[in-house]
Amino acid sequence: MRPMTYFVTGATGFIGKRLMERLLAREGTVYVLVREQSRDKVAALWSDERVVPVVGDLAAPLLGVDPKALKGVQHVFHLAALYDMTASAEENERANVEGTRNTVALANVLGATLHHVSSVAVAGEHRGLFREDHFAEGQKLPSAYHRTKFDAEAIVRGESTVPFRVYRPAVVVGDSRTGEMDKIDGPYYFFTAIKKVRHLLPEWVPLLGPELGWTNIVPVDFVAAALDHIAHQPGLDGQAFHLTDPRGIRVGEALNAFATAANAPRLALRVDSALLNALPKGTLSMLMKLPQLQEIRRSFLADLGIPDEVIGHMALVPQFDTRDTERALAGS
């Protein structure tokens, strides 16, 4: 079997670095898209001569890359994206939509199989089971991040003239072996709150807190390993794969796991948000529009290091089917 040749965007990112480890464990050359100012970072990460930096820009047509320089590339992995619930609509559009459109155009010119890392965010607020063959199901997309990830996947589906595969990770957390994480994000926003509670109260004190709903958490090493394995399996083009936990987890359960690890008090009683929904329609939302309460909420969250924009998106409304992913990973 002849060595593969790859082109990767987002290679220096959190998932990208671990995917690179997997690709370099195989035979072949890996071209990586870099900005001019990031060439030294690539050299510091990989001394392997098979890693070839290619200077370009997500915002440029064909990523600002001469396709002739990538002759022989068989697989394009598109991981470069913006994941920041506090970012503006314009920033999300530029990174997630235009960056994907330019990557698709380049893959089309190269005639290479496109592997697009999307997100479970494309499911938005779909209620019930969101299958891997679902996409445009009339779901509400509540933020710029959700909308641009949906639009990016739509571009892959609508503008690719080459075979493609789509991967939808859930909430990606640190490495399952080392715990390594690259930023404060998702459940990590609650670490400051856990630390404050630990300093104020002994571990045995039971706490009362809200149950924010269900979430879905996967370690980054699983995401990279699954992505690499599925990408190299035959006969899977045109499919989407949920890189998620088949069961999901309550947000409160996840917080209690972190609290246990930190020797902090646990939430002994979690109040289901459904009880708040039982209030007369509009009561809670009307109250939260009062300037005084809004300011209290913002100040409270800021003291805990939690962006106000994040709270409303902590819980995932859909459940995610993983049958196609499980079949593709069978025996791995």
Side-chain angles (χ1 to χ4, degrees), residues 1 6 34-35 37 86 109 113 153 198 215 251 267 304:
M1 186 175 179
Y6 309 96
V34 296
R35 290 174 294 183
Q37 61 267 36
T86 67
V109 172
T113 299
E153 188 172 322
R198 184 183 65 187
T215 188
V251 174
L267 295 173
L304 296 178

Side-chain angles (χ1 to χ4, degrees), residues 269-316:
L269 180 62
R270 306 195 300 270
V271 180
D272 198 311
S273 58
L275 293 177
L276 300 177
N277 295 334
L279 291 171
K281 187 174 181 181
T283 301
L284 192 60
S285 60
M286 184 173 65
L287 286 173
M288 288 311 298
K289 287 179 182 177
L290 294 174
Q292 300 93 325
L293 289 182
Q294 285 186 327
E295 188 55 41
I296 291 171
R297 170 191 164 109
R298 275 194 294 267
S299 297
F300 176 72
L301 292 175
D303 189 46
L304 296 178
I306 304 174
D308 193 27
E309 301 90 339
V310 168
I311 286 295
H313 304 299
M314 278 308 223
L316 299 174

